Amino acid sequence: KLRCCSRIRGARGKSRHYGKDRNEYFFDRHSEAFGFILLYVRGHGKLRFAPRMCELSFYNEMIYWGLEGAHLEYCCQRRLDDRMSDTYTFYSAEEPGALGRDEVRPGGAEAAPSRRWLERMRRTFEEPTSSLAAQILASVSVVFVIVSMVVLCASTLPDWRAAAADNRSLDDRSRYSAVPGREPSGIIEAICIGWFTAECIVRFIVSRNKCEFVKRPLNIIDLLAITPYYISVLMTVFTGENSQLQRAGVTLRVLRMMRIFWVIKLARHFIGLQTLGLTLKRCYREMVMLLVFICVAMAIFSALSQLLEHGLDLETSNKDFASIPAACWWVIISMTTVGYGDMYPITVPGRILGGVCVVSGIVLLALPITFIYHSFVQCYHELKFRSARYSRSLSAEFLN
C-alpha cells in the first residue's frame, strides 16, 4: 500500500509508522511472526504457526498483515479452529488496528467513501450474516425461492393443468400462450425472475473481480436458473400459434423444468448446503475413489452373475440376467442394499454370489465414507466460525 501511493512524501507525513529521524517505517509488531509471514508472502514455503507462540496471537498478526485463516496449512487451521472454539474468540479482518487503516490510500480521500459503499453493498449481498440489511435481503430471497418452487410443483398437478387448459380454451388460445405472464402462475414466475435477475445484476456490479464472479459455481447456477425463462419467452413469442409450436413444446417444458436449480440458491443463506458443496469440492478424490470401487465391483459381479444365472444352463436360465448390462442393475441395487425385488438370482450359486455382493458393497461403500465424514465436520466448523465473525457487527447494528 505504501509503494502504490503516488505521493510518498504525503504518505510519510501522515503515517504514524514513519520516523523522520531515521527515514524509515517501523511497525511495532511481533518480529518472529513477521519472519514467517514474510517468507510465505514472498512465495517461500507454506504458512505455519511460529513455534512457542500462541495460535491466537499469530492469527492476530496475520490479520494485521492482510492474511486470513485460509492461508494457513490444514493442520494449523484445525489448531486455530480448536483454540478459537475453546476460548470463543473471533477475529475480523476489518478490526481497528489492521495494516492500512491509518495509512494513506491510493486515489485520495475522495475515492474512499465510494469504495466503502461498494464494499458494504458487496457484503450485504454476499454475506447474509454481515448486517441487519443482509439478513432482511437474504430472508426476502429465500421467500422468493420458496414461492417459485411451490408454483413449479403446483403447475405439475393434474387439476392445475386442467384449469389452465380450460382458461386457454375459453380465450381461444393454443397450448402455450404467446404471453405467459397473463396467467396467475406466469405473473408470479415473472416477479420471481425479476427479483433474481436484479439481485444477480447488483451482485455483479458490486463484485471486486468480474471474471472471478462469473467463474463461481453458485453464480453459474444462478445464470442457469434465470436464462431458461427468457429463452422460453422468446421461443413462445417467435413461434406464436404456427406449426412450429408443437416441436417447441418439449423444449419449453425442459427449459421451464430447469427452474429447479433455484433450490440451489438456498446455499447462499444456509450453512448446511454450503458445507455440503465445500465437502464435495474438497473430497473429489475420495468421491472418485468410491466411484472406481463401485465400477470395479459392478464389472466383476455382473459378469459372474450373468454366467451363473444364464450362461451355464440355457434351458433353465434366468431371463433377467440375459446380458451383463442387465446384470449391472442387479449388482448396483444389491451393493447399495436397496433391493427393489424386480430381479433376483434363482440358482444356489447365484444366491451365494448375491450374498457376497451385498457384503462387499457394504465394505466398499464404508471405506471412503470416513474421510468424507471428517471433511464434512471440518468444513462445517470453518463455515460456522466464518459466520460467527460477523455476529458482532450484526449485534452492534441491532443495538444501534
Side-chain angles (χ1 to χ4, degrees), residues 205-216:
I205 294 175
V206 300
S207 62
R208 296 174 179 173
N209 191 338
K210 302 299 187 292
C211 296
E212 186 68 21
F213 177 86
V214 176
K215 295 178 182 178
R216 291 178 183 175

Side-chain angles (χ1 to χ4, degrees), residues 75-91:
C75 57
C76 294
Q77 288 185 15
R78 295 186 61 181
R79 288 173 53 188
L80 178 63
D81 291 342
D82 294 339
R83 188 61 183 271
M84 294 174 68
S85 178
D86 294 338
T87 59
Y88 201 74
T89 304
F90 303 101
Y91 291 93

Side-chain angles (χ1 to χ4, degrees), residues 290 293-298 300-301 304 330-332 334-337 352-368:
L290 178 62
F293 287 168
I294 295 177
C295 292
V296 171
M298 186 186 303
I300 295 174
F301 286 111
L304 293 178
W330 171 79
V331 172
I332 190 63
S334 298
M335 292 184 64
T336 55
T337 66
I352 296 176
L353 180 66
V356 176
C357 178
V358 172
V359 175
S360 301
I362 296 175
V363 175
L364 293 178
L365 292 176
L367 290 177

Side-chain angles (χ1 to χ4, degrees), residues 279-299:
T279 303
L280 295 178
K281 179 181 179 181
R282 293 185 177 179
C283 297
Y284 70 94
R285 293 186 180 90
E286 287 77 9
M287 300 298 293
V288 172
M289 181 172 59
L290 178 62
L291 183 61
V292 170
F293 287 168
I294 295 177
C295 292
V296 171
M298 186 186 303

Side-chain angles (χ1 to χ4, degrees), residues 107-122:
E110 296 180 357
S114 62
R115 284 197 300 268
R116 288 196 297 267
W117 181 82
L118 288 176
E119 181 64 21
R120 187 170 183 178
M121 286 290 295
R122 187 195 64 81

